[in-house]
């Protein structure tokens, strides 16, 4: 969970459509998913679909790409299990958002209307979605499995709600605890080049295990405090896995995606408070 402030607005029309009006405005990012459940689903089905690969004579360059035909019994079983994990993840984020509202109303002594904490978007970044795309010149129903990526549908896409129909889908791209995060919007180029997808975040340069070996929890707290960032954690031992040193610089990743045209940056935020639980 990150409480951040708006540092830059690159596209005012898109920002206003999302309820973001000025620099310094406070946003709350909820970056959590199914965690252990999703990981277990992945582990179980890499094994299960590994057997299906042999059954359906599919040649893979890497066993982690284990797969099966979508309409096969194995494919349908995986999609059902994935849906369970996704439903848990969405519920998880909704609960966290509710507790954030309760905490802020209590501390700031404001009612829900005066607080002005309204949801911009909620999206998964590890999920398979059945979508329609143009493949070899034909509109085709496909299964797009985004792993570490997120949807980036353009303006006027029928899947978008009316409020975002003119600007395109909000794309949430969290950075790390000590630097910045971005909101972007989807584009037509993404539909042509990447099945309506863009990056989800910066990506790691260190595994969680390697990050823990290199940094101590108290060091992370002190480093963030020097930047004016308050951090709270259920366990200090877990903090290093999310330290800035474990990630690429998300601004460089955003710039690549922006210049490639697969998403267009709208807002940049920086953290003032972080909760790792």
């Amino acid at each position: 969970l990150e409480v951040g402030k708006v540092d830059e607005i690159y596209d005012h029309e898109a920002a206003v459509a999302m309820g973001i009006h000025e620099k310094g405005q406070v946003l709350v990012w909820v970056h959590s998913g199914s965690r252990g459940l999703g990981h277990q689903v992945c582990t179980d089905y890499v094994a299960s679909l590994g057997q299906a690969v042999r059954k359906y004579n599919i040649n893979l360059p890497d066993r982690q790409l284990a797969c099966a035909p979508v309409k096969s019994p194995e494919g349908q079983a995986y999609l059902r299990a994935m849906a369970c994990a996704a439903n848990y993840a969405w519920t998880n984020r909704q609960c966290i958002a509710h507790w954030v509202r309760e905490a802020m109303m209590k501390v700031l002594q404001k009612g829900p209307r005066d607080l002005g904490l309204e949801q911009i978007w909620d999206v998964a970044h590890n999920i398979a979605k059945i979508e329609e795309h143009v493949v070899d010149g034909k509109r085709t129903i496909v299964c797009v499995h985004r792993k570490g990526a997120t949807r980036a549908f353009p303006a006027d896409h029928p899947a978008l709600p009316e409020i975002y129909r003119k600007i395109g889908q909000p794309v949430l791209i969290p950075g790390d605890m000590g630097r910045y995060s971005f909101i972007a919007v989807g584009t037509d180029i993404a539909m042509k080049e990447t099945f309506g997808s863009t990056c989800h975040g910066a990506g790691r340069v260190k595994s969680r295990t390697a990050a823990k070996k290199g940094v101590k929890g108290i060091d992370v707290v002190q480093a963030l405090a020097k930047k004016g960032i308050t951090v709270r954690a259920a366990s200090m031992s877990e903090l290093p896995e999310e330290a800035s040193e474990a990630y690429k610089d998300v601004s460089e990743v955003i710039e690549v995606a922006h210049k490639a045209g697969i998403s267009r940056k709208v807002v940049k935020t920086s953290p003032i408070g972080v909760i790792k639980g």
Side-chain angles (χ1 to χ4, degrees):
L1 174 71
E2 176 184 313
V3 180
K5 61 180 177 64
V6 175
D7 283 345
E8 298 287 344
I9 298 177
Y10 306 102
D11 184 328
H12 284 270
E13 180 185 1
V16 169
M18 299 178 199
I20 301 169
H21 298 276
E22 59 189 358
K23 289 184 180 181
Q25 186 171 339
V26 173
L27 302 183
V28 178
W29 294 75
V30 179
H31 186 193
S32 183
S34 52
R35 289 291 283 179
L37 174 57
H39 190 282
Q40 191 65 54
V41 167
C42 180
T43 300
D44 291 348
Y45 281 89
V46 164
S48 171
L49 298 183
Q51 298 173 9
V53 164
R54 293 189 290 273
K55 175 180 176 181
Y56 297 107
N57 296 315
I58 301 171
N59 294 315
L60 296 175
D62 188 317
R63 66 177 293 273
Q64 291 288 325
L65 297 175
C67 59
V70 171
K71 294 184 179 180
S72 68
E74 296 89 346
Q76 288 295 301
Y78 168 69
L79 288 177
R80 288 194 295 270
M82 182 201 67
C84 290
N87 285 337
Y88 170 77
W90 269 302
T91 304
N92 188 15
R93 290 191 293 273
Q94 290 297 322
C95 288
I96 292 171
H98 174 69
W99 294 324
V100 167
R101 286 191 183 93
E102 284 190 329
M104 287 192 168
M105 285 190 295
K106 180 178 179 181
V107 172
L108 300 176
Q109 293 293 296
K110 289 187 175 184
R113 291 183 182 275
D114 295 329
L115 189 64
L117 197 61
E118 297 182 5
Q119 183 173 300
I120 294 175
W121 197 244
D122 187 1
V123 67
H125 60 265
N126 287 337
I127 195 166
K129 303 286 282 187
I130 306 300
E131 300 171 355
E132 185 178 273
H133 291 272
V134 176
V135 181
D136 296 330
K138 295 181 180 180
R139 299 204 68 81
T140 308
I141 302 297
V142 296
C143 178
V144 181
H145 200 162
R146 296 179 177 93
K147 168 64 178 173
T150 190
R151 265 184 174 179
F153 284 174
D156 296 322
H157 193 284
L160 296 182
E162 187 62 36
I163 189 174
Y164 297 135
R165 196 62 62 82
K166 289 184 179 180
I167 66 167
Q169 182 201 304
V171 174
L172 309 180
I173 308 178
D176 58 70
M177 293 193 295
R179 286 185 282 204
Y180 18 68
S181 297
F182 288 82
I183 300 176
V185 286
T187 65
D188 288 315
I189 293 177
M191 293 301 289
K192 296 173 184 176
E193 300 286 341
T194 60
F195 291 93
S197 309
T198 191
C199 63
H200 149 67
R204 286 184 169 271
V205 291
K206 292 182 181 179
S207 69
R208 295 181 187 276
T209 302
K212 286 183 178 181
K213 288 181 178 178
V215 184
K216 293 181 179 179
I218 193 163
D219 295 331
V220 175
V221 173
Q222 291 173 348
L224 291 173
K226 289 179 181 178
K227 296 180 179 181
I229 303 169
T230 301
V231 61
R232 295 289 183 269
S235 169
M236 292 292 284
S237 64
E238 300 298 318
L239 269 183
E241 69 179 46
E242 300 294 341
S244 295
E245 295 87 343
Y247 289 90
K248 300 171 190 173
D249 187 330
V250 72
S251 67
E252 295 177 4
V253 178
I254 290 293
E255 206 59 33
V256 170
H258 181 80
K259 289 179 178 178
I262 59 173
S263 53
R264 190 177 77 253
K265 59 185 181 181
V266 176
V267 169
K268 174 184 177 182
T269 73
S270 61
I272 55 178
V274 178
I275 298 174
K276 168 73 176 167

